[in-house]
């Protein structure tokens, strides 16, 4: 892995695809073990950033499950805009269901707060939050996160579904913004 350039910024190698695969697998098996074979959860991936994580996650899920995606964008460039858009794409009836939200990354928690607000109105049986990446030093909310893949420092990352102004989503490894 080498230093890469996306638009005007340089990024350095941060988490290899092998390490990501290990953590995703660990998360999948933990959630499968906790929910058990008799539960058929609905996994809801938060687009766009979660698509690669969700694809790998469900591939390793050993029991029956449903899968859908919703969109709730909040990020532009390398700074949180603070503005949360509305949710697009949920058509399923979630009442009485076990819903597992799959997030790519939780930063300030603004998106998570919006997710809680939206799903609390849907009378689900159980709402479970899982995120692949988590930035504990920026997280400002008193909201529960059930499963965390990797806690990382507060620096912008790209790759494995995450972008910088539209670029970098296709990278199999994760890169971190390089300050120089
Ligand atoms: P929050 O609402 O928790 O501040 O931010 C959540 C959203 O911001 C994520 O779903 C993701 O789209 C974006 N985001 C937060 N941190 C990063 C980062 O380090 N890199 C990228 N590419 N996106 C991020």
């Amino acid at each position: 892995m080498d230093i890469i350039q996306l638009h005007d910024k340089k990024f350095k190698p941060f988490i290899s695809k092998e390490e990501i695969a290990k953590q995703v697998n660990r998360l999948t098996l933990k959630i499968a073990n906790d929910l058990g074979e008799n539960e058929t959860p609905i996994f809801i991936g938060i687009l766009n950033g979660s698509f690669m994580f969700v694809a790998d996650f469900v591939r390793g899920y050993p029991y029956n499950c449903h899968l859908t995606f919703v969109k709730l964008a909040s990020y532009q460039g390398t700074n949180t805009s603070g503005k949360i858009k509305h949710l697009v794409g949920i058509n399923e009836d979630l009442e009485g269901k076990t819903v597992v939200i799959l997030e790519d990354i939780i930063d300030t928690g603004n998106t998570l707060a919006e997710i809680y607000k939206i799903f609390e109105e849907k009378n689900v049986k159980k709402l479970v939050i899982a995120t692949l990446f988590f930035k504990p030093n920026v997280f400002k909310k008193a909201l529960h996160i059930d499963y965390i893949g990797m806690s990382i420092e507060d620096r912008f990352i790209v790759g494995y579904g995450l972008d910088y102004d539209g670029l970098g989503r296709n990278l199999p490894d994760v890169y971190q913004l390089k300050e120089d």
Side-chain angles (χ1 to χ4, degrees):
M1 286 168 76
D2 294 317
I3 288 180
I4 55 160
Q5 173 120 18
L6 300 173
H7 297 299
D8 57 327
K9 303 227 183 301
K10 286 193 165 61
F11 294 84
K12 61 181 183 201
F14 185 47
I15 306 168
S16 69
K17 56 179 181 296
E18 291 80 13
E19 180 61 21
I20 296 168
K22 203 169 106 188
Q23 297 301 333
V24 171
N25 190 249
R26 184 185 58 78
L27 216 50
T28 307
L29 296 181
K30 175 94 180 94
I31 292 175
N33 192 50
D34 289 353
L35 294 181
E37 192 168 3
N38 296 328
E39 188 75 70
T40 304
I42 303 186
F43 292 117
I44 302 185
I46 309 296
L47 291 172
N48 292 329
S50 75
F51 77 94
M52 222 180 256
F53 165 45
V54 174
D56 287 340
F57 179 97
V58 294
R59 230 189 310 232
Y61 199 77
Y63 308 133
N64 285 342
C65 61
H66 297 273
L67 169 63
T68 190
F69 286 92
V70 297
K71 192 154 185 166
L72 242 178
S74 73
Y75 225 75
Q76 246 156 32
T78 55
N79 287 307
T80 316
S81 67
K83 289 196 192 96
I84 310 275
K85 289 185 198 152
H86 284 282
L87 178 145
V88 188
I90 193 88
N91 305 313
E92 285 84 355
D93 180 12
L94 301 178
E95 195 166 333
K97 308 271 172 61
T98 293
V99 172
V100 182
I101 303 294
L102 297 174
E103 266 270 40
D104 46 354
I105 184 164
I106 296 178
D107 185 312
T108 62
N110 288 335
T111 309
L112 183 63
E114 196 74 10
I115 286 168
Y116 264 108
K117 226 164 49 193
I118 290 164
F119 287 93
E120 267 164 6
E121 289 167 4
K122 300 213 181 271
N123 296 318
V124 301
K125 178 169 127 194
K126 192 172 173 192
L127 181 66
V128 177
I129 309 290
T131 185
L132 179 57
F133 299 111
F134 177 56
K135 293 182 179 169
N137 298 336
V138 241
F139 188 63
K140 297 183 294 204
K141 310 275 181 197
L143 295 171
H144 186 65
I145 304 171
D146 299 270
Y147 299 96
I148 292 171
M150 282 171 271
S151 289
I152 58 170
E153 63 189 297
D154 177 23
R155 191 169 286 186
F156 194 80
I157 59 170
V158 293
Y160 197 67
L162 291 161
D163 74 313
Y164 166 49
D165 273 352
L167 294 182
R169 290 196 197 279
N170 57 314
L171 299 165
D173 306 280
V174 166
Y175 294 76
Q176 188 187 53
L177 183 64
K178 187 174 179 292
E179 311 281 7
D180 46 13

